[in-house]
Amino acid sequence: MHIRKRILITGGAGFIGSHLSEVLLQQGHDVLCVDNFFTGTKDNLEHLFDNSHFELLRHDVTFPLYVEVDEIYNLACPASPIHYQHDPVQTTKTSVHGAINMLGLAKRTKAKILQASTSEVYGDPEIHPQTEDYWGHVNPIGFRSCYDEGKRCAETLFFDYHRQHKLRIKVARIFNTYGPRMHPNDGRVVSNFIVQALQGKDITIYGDGSQSRSFCYVDDLVDVLIRLMNSKDSFTGPVNTGNPGEFTIKELAEHVITLTGSKSKLIFKPLPSDDPRQRQPNIELARKELGWEPKVALKEGLIKTIAYFDELLKH
Ligand code: NAD
Ligand code: UDP
């Protein structure tokens, strides 16, 4: 028999949250999104407004929230460097106070709670590819620290609530994820390159473009987040969620130019401070515990993302 769960998604109006909402509604659940609309928008969820099982609430997770739910996906937090560095104090508060408030809610309602953590907990990693037992190489006082250390502290809180209060927790370390509904001006590399290519502007490579990232298409990421939430209680993570296909930033730029047929030129700009040199998830744990691996290759995902931005830029 199908059990309709009441599911809370914080940061639900953002890029990943909007896709997650869609899939959980399709699976027959009640979805409540809370968002302060800092980087997310109602436009990302507009197509769900007619569904009577969907609700959207304007709320900042740094303040307590009283609702009755069975599961919580804690996604609230700006994710792109431009956005999280805009108001760094608020970024740390969102991760830390947000985690405390949502863990408190989970404790009161006995809900299961999943944290959207990040590969940034590894900082500029000294081991490659990264496995979950690596403690990281993070600058505590740099421009990225508000995000990295906020997310690290949130992981600490999750594990202390688990040990101290027996909460059912799940921690996903998400690696670079892309797809439709990324913010066009958020400065992240995939959206930047696609928008620049479609507008015939120069493609801005920071540094010499030899730094690497591994890019996961959003549908694969939503699939693994739901599998993680539904996994046995004894499996808490942290678990790497990402696509191990690793590309240099220059290779990504070349793919985007080929797939858009753009005449844009590559230009080189200074590398931001603390920019990680390389990043690739080892996903053996997700394979073993969740039976998951990504299905969408970079080319296929880029084609879908380019189609989205092409449409968006016409309006
Ligand atoms: P996003 O910026 O599109 O979504 C984040 C959402 O959180 C936005 O809708 C924003 O308005 C909301 N938000 C921010 N502060 C809030 C607050 N104080 N109260 C309520 N809502 C708030 O980013 P995304 O890419 O969808 O990321 C979602 C989550 O996944 C984030 O926690 C991010 O750190 C994590 N993550 C994302 C990636 C990625 O590559 N996209 C990688 C690692 C981790
Ligand atoms: N980057 C780039 N040009 C851009 C935007 C980003 O070369 O226009 C680089 C950035 O310096 C980093 C990589 O692309 O090395 C990924 O950047 P992003 O901001 O997407 O994510 P993160 O650094 O958090 O992985």
Side-chain angles (χ1 to χ4, degrees):
M1 197 190 74
H2 172 70
I3 296 175
R4 188 183 287 282
K5 291 185 282 199
R6 298 162 303 174
I7 303 179
L8 168 64
I9 305 177
T10 74
F15 157 54
I16 297 175
S18 64
H19 288 272
L20 180 62
S21 301
E22 228 170 74
V23 177
L24 290 172
L25 283 170
Q26 276 160 14
Q27 293 184 350
H29 300 297
D30 277 336
V31 172
L32 166 61
C33 284
V34 305
D35 205 294
N36 68 351
F37 303 120
F38 174 49
T39 53
T41 67
K42 288 184 194 168
D43 296 343
N44 286 339
L45 296 169
E46 209 174 4
H47 59 298
L48 306 177
F49 287 169
D50 286 343
N51 189 326
S52 55
H53 293 286
F54 178 73
E55 285 172 278
L56 172 62
L57 175 70
R58 181 190 294 268
H59 175 79
D60 184 322
V61 294
T62 62
F63 296 95
L65 176 69
Y66 292 88
V67 290
E68 305 308 312
V69 288
D70 304 304
E71 291 179 354
I72 304 169
Y73 288 83
N74 188 35
L75 270 55
C77 186
S80 84
I82 288 186
H83 285 145
Y84 70 64
Q85 290 169 21
H86 170 74
D87 184 350
V89 173
Q90 173 67 10
T91 299
T92 305
K93 277 190 191 169
T94 294
S95 276
V96 177
H97 292 188
I100 292 171
N101 288 328
M102 291 310 116
L103 287 161
L105 174 62
K107 186 172 163 226
R108 184 179 62 77
T109 57
K110 300 192 168 48
K112 217 190 293 185
I113 181 164
L114 180 148
Q115 168 67 359
S117 190
T118 166
S119 53
E120 287 283 312
V121 301
Y122 301 125
D124 189 7
E126 299 142 304
I127 67 151
H128 193 77
Q130 293 80 56
T131 44
E132 290 84 351
D133 56 3
Y134 176 52
W135 289 357
H137 180 225
V138 177
N139 177 357
I141 58 167
F143 292 112
R144 284 182 174 248
S145 311
C146 59
Y147 184 72
D148 301 5
E149 297 289 18
K151 289 284 189 181
R152 285 169 69 94
C153 184
E155 286 201 10
T156 308
L157 286 161
F158 267 68
F159 277 85
D160 282 335
Y161 269 77
H162 173 63
R163 284 184 288 255
Q164 202 174 330
H165 299 300
K166 308 286 171 260
L167 247 63
R168 292 177 295 159
I169 62 155
K170 308 281 177 188
V171 175
R173 290 187 179 151
I174 303 171
F175 284 63
N176 296 60
T177 300
Y178 70 99
R181 300 198 206 114
M182 287 183 92
H183 200 295
N185 306 320
D186 72 1
R188 280 190 267 191
V189 69
V190 174
S191 42
N192 261 14
F193 285 2
I194 292 178
V195 170
Q196 289 163 344
L198 290 174
Q199 295 181 332
K201 295 186 177 154
D202 292 340
I203 307 257
T204 54
I205 295 186
Y206 302 158
D208 62 4
S210 64
Q211 73 272 33
S212 71
R213 293 293 186 274
S214 306
F215 301 99
C216 184
Y217 188 66
V218 65
D219 289 358
D220 282 329
L221 200 263
V222 165
D223 178 23
V224 71
L225 293 183
I226 296 173
R227 281 172 191 252
L228 176 58
M229 183 62 103
N230 294 338
S231 64
K232 58 182 189 277
D233 285 350
S234 58
F235 184 64
T236 57
V239 58
N240 289 339
T241 57
N243 190 323
E246 184 183 357
F247 297 85
T248 67
I249 295 306
K250 188 149 176 279
E251 284 170 339
L252 177 72
E254 283 157 358
H255 279 306
V256 169
I257 287 183
T258 309
L259 294 172
T260 51
S262 171
K263 296 199 166 41
S264 293
K265 303 261 171 304
L266 305 186
I267 60 160
F268 294 86
K269 295 205 157 187
L271 192 67
S273 67
D274 296 338
D275 199 284
R277 284 285 321 146
Q278 54 182 4
R279 192 181 283 155
Q280 185 195 34
N282 173 314
I283 60 162
E284 284 317 304
L285 187 64
R287 277 206 179 96
K288 179 169 151 271
E289 291 291 338
L290 308 173
W292 174 83
E293 61 181 6
K295 295 192 179 70
V296 182
L298 183 65
K299 184 176 169 190
E300 193 189 331
L302 284 178
I303 290 172
K304 292 183 189 186
T305 313
I306 289 166
Y308 167 79
F309 279 111
D310 199 23
E311 195 54 39
L312 188 79
L313 294 175
K314 284 186 192 142
H315 298 293

